[in-house]
């Protein structure tokens, strides 16, 4: 799910939740002499270099604005090379990415909406990154995993869509969360295309200015609202169910063309934890169905898959980091397991039944994992 527009209160909550994740924990990494410094404000996006060598790019981002922001590096066609969301006011973030020679744009999006402020940049030299063969194997295995998740999503989504088209509310509710697992595990890859996520996974408050919820809002969450809030299935909903399958089929066909690198895998794992911190823990993602913990678990599984594939190299380059990540993944998974009947199902406690103190415990667990996970890209790029 792409980030939504935030009210002042909500933005403040995100800053608090993400302070560990996007702030002080990354300051040391952000001071590299070769880093491209990105200074984001509410009205500008300044970069210290508009030309830099191809290879491993490090962005040292500082948000000097009053709004939560996100920073992207984009290919000319709009696909995402790398990104970092939820960078709070007054905080810094360090982003490591693998980049080939060519033209790109660095984009800052204050308030995490709209086209943002853009700077054209160029990577020069044409030198390919020399990778450990284990990293090439990790990329190949992850590409297989992503395709398997997309392939496995379609049958489950069709069960959900067929129930909607049949007007069977209870059957559609039962199939809803399961239909989303593969998407949630690999969401950063889907988001890298730019145009698919807004069609299938946007919430109503994530619509852009000028978009009409009645005509422009499509995908899972529009149908979620019909099933749990409106408690009825309309002719429009049946059309949306059919469109959902078309859009997911497009995703399935295109996912094999995604640009995947070791650093994009590591950054994607971090993005999945950010998704949990700003959507699932708050209860905003599945506000009608309250199936947030299913999405939460899928996000953690996807992050852990990337980590496990990169772990052999990370273990050589930063053994202390790997030890910490092993500990925090285990702790968060153990905590999540307390909210499901058994470890072999994805039937979790309805999130509206999870109290304030328990949500705080979940949030603390996410932040404890997200902080070391933010260092994984740098570890594999050494």
């Amino acid at each position: 799910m792409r980030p939504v527009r935030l009210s002042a209160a909500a933005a403040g909550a995100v800053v608090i939740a993400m302070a560990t994740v996007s702030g002080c924990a990354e300051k040391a990494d952000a001071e590299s002499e070769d880093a491209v410094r990105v200074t984001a404000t509410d009205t500008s996006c300044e970069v210290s270099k508009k030309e830099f060598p191809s290879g491993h790019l490090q962005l040292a981002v500082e948000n000097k604005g009053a709004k939560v922001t996100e920073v992207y590096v984009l290919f000319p066609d709009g696909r995402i090379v790398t990104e970092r969301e939820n960078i709070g006011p007054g905080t810094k973030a360090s982003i490591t990415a693998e980049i080939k020679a060519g033209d790109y744009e660095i984009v800052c999006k204050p308030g995490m909406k709209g086209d943002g402020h853009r700077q054209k940049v160029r990577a020069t030299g044409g030198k390919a990154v020399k990778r450990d063969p284990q990293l090439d194997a990790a990329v190949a295995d992850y590409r297989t995993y992503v395709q398997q998740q997309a392939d496995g999503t379609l049958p489950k989504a069709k069960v959900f869509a067929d129930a909607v088209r049949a007007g069977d509310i209870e059957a559609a509710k039962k199939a809803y969360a399961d239909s989303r697992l593969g998407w949630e595990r690999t969401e950063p890859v889907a988001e890298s295309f730019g145009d698919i996520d807004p069609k299938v996974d946007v919430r109503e408050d994530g619509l852009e200015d000028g978009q009409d919820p009645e005509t422009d809002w499509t995908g899972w969450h529009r149908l979620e609202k019909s099933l749990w809030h409106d408690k009825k299935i309309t002719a429009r909903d049946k059309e949306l169910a059919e469109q959902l399958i078309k859009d997911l089929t497009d995703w399935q066909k295109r996912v094999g063309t995604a640009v995947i690198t070791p650093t994009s895998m590591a950054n994607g794992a971090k993005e999945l934890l950010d998704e949990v911190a700003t959507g699932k823990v708050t209860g905003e993602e599945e506000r009608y169905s309250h199936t947030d913990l299913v999405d939460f678990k899928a996000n953690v599984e996807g992050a852990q898959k990337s980590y496990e594939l990169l772990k052999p190299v990370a273990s050589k380059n930063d053994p202390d980091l790997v030890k910490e990540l092993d500990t925090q993944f285990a702790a968060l998974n153990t905590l999540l397991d307390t909210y499901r009947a058994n470890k072999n199902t994805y039937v979790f406690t309805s999130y509206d039944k999870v109290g304030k103190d328990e949500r705080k415990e979940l949030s603390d667990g996410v932040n404890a994992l997200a902080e070391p996970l933010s260092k994984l890209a740098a570890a594999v790029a050494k």
Side-chain angles (χ1 to χ4, degrees), residues 2 36-41 43-47 49 52 57 59 61-63 68-87 95 103-121:
R2 305 304 311 157
V36 176
R37 302 185 185 282
V38 181
T39 304
T41 72
T43 57
S44 66
C45 184
E46 300 300 326
V47 298
K49 304 174 186 177
F52 42 79
L57 168 68
L59 299 181
V61 181
E62 183 173 9
N63 182 6
V68 175
T69 196
E70 56 190 0
V71 172
Y72 296 81
V73 179
L74 299 181
F75 289 105
D77 61 6
R79 288 176 300 136
I80 298 171
V81 178
T82 191
E83 64 179 308
R84 181 61 55 86
E85 302 168 357
N86 300 301
I87 304 171
I95 310 168
D103 295 323
Y104 300 89
E105 282 189 317
I106 294 177
V107 185
C108 307
K109 289 189 178 182
M112 302 193 298
K113 67 173 184 177
D115 291 332
H117 307 294
R118 297 169 177 249
Q119 292 281 1
K120 294 185 181 298
V121 297

Side-chain angles (χ1 to χ4, degrees), residues 205-241:
D205 50 352
L207 295 173
E208 293 291 339
D209 293 334
Q211 287 189 303
D212 184 348
E214 293 301 317
T215 57
D216 300 322
W217 186 18
T218 61
W220 271 302
H221 293 303
R222 176 64 189 90
L223 293 167
E224 178 204 5
K225 183 178 182 182
S226 293
L227 295 171
W228 275 273
H229 181 268
D230 301 339
K231 299 180 181 179
K232 62 181 179 180
I233 294 174
T234 66
R236 170 64 173 161
D237 293 326
K238 293 178 182 181
E239 293 173 357
L240 290 175

Side-chain angles (χ1 to χ4, degrees), residues 193-374:
F193 294 109
D195 61 334
I196 298 176
D197 184 86
K199 295 177 183 178
V200 305
D201 199 35
V202 73
R203 305 197 307 253
E204 185 171 9
D205 50 352
L207 295 173
E208 293 291 339
D209 293 334
Q211 287 189 303
D212 184 348
E214 293 301 317
T215 57
D216 300 322
W217 186 18
T218 61
W220 271 302
H221 293 303
R222 176 64 189 90
L223 293 167
E224 178 204 5
K225 183 178 182 182
S226 293
L227 295 171
W228 275 273
H229 181 268
D230 301 339
K231 299 180 181 179
K232 62 181 179 180
I233 294 174
T234 66
R236 170 64 173 161
D237 293 326
K238 293 178 182 181
E239 293 173 357
L240 290 175
E242 185 173 350
Q243 185 61 48
L244 176 64
I245 298 304
K246 290 180 180 178
D247 292 333
L248 290 175
T249 300
D250 181 33
W251 163 56
Q252 178 200 26
K253 290 178 179 178
R254 291 165 62 185
V255 73
T257 68
V259 176
I260 298 174
T261 65
T263 54
S264 76
M265 289 169 58
N267 289 328
K270 171 64 167 55
E271 290 166 34
L272 286 169
L273 266 291
D274 289 354
E275 289 272 352
V276 174
T278 60
K280 281 68 174 185
V281 168
T282 62
E284 295 174 88
E285 176 81 351
E286 306 288 358
R287 63 189 62 178
Y288 306 112
S289 66
H290 305 300
T291 56
D292 303 87
L293 288 173
V294 181
D295 290 359
F296 190 143
K297 179 64 175 176
N299 285 159
V300 173
E301 287 177 339
Q304 190 161 8
K305 181 65 175 182
S306 290
Y307 165 61
E308 293 293 345
L309 291 172
L310 296 170
K311 184 176 175 178
V313 172
S315 296
K316 292 187 290 187
N317 293 344
D318 196 337
D320 289 340
L321 176 64
V322 166
K323 183 178 179 180
E324 178 68 8
L325 285 169
D326 283 345
T327 298
Q328 297 303 337
F329 267 116
L332 186 55
N333 279 313
T334 298
L335 179 58
L336 275 171
D337 283 342
T338 66
Y339 291 94
R340 59 177 175 174
N342 67 71
K343 295 180 181 181
N344 298 318
T345 72
Y346 284 88
V347 179
F348 282 81
T349 302
S350 181
Y351 204 59
D352 58 336
K353 307 298 183 186
V354 178
K356 182 178 179 180
D357 291 343
E358 288 77 16
R359 293 188 184 200
K360 175 64 164 57
E361 184 181 24
L362 287 164
S363 178
D364 289 345
V366 170
N367 284 341
L369 172 57
E371 190 277 326
L373 197 57
S374 69

Side-chain angles (χ1 to χ4, degrees), residues 89-160:
T91 65
K92 296 180 179 181
S94 179
I95 310 168
T96 302
E98 186 177 309
I99 193 165
K100 294 181 179 180
D103 295 323
Y104 300 89
E105 282 189 317
I106 294 177
V107 185
C108 307
K109 289 189 178 182
M112 302 193 298
K113 67 173 184 177
D115 291 332
H117 307 294
R118 297 169 177 249
Q119 292 281 1
K120 294 185 181 298
V121 297
R122 174 172 293 173
T124 60
K127 268 191 174 182
V129 172
K130 291 187 71 174
R131 288 184 191 160
D132 185 313
Q134 288 179 298
L135 290 178
D136 287 327
V139 169
D141 288 347
Y142 185 67
R143 190 177 292 281
T144 298
Y145 172 74
V146 171
Q147 188 66 61
Q148 288 172 340
Q149 294 303 310
D151 292 345
T153 294
L154 260 294
K156 295 178 179 181
K158 286 177 180 175
V159 171
F160 170 66

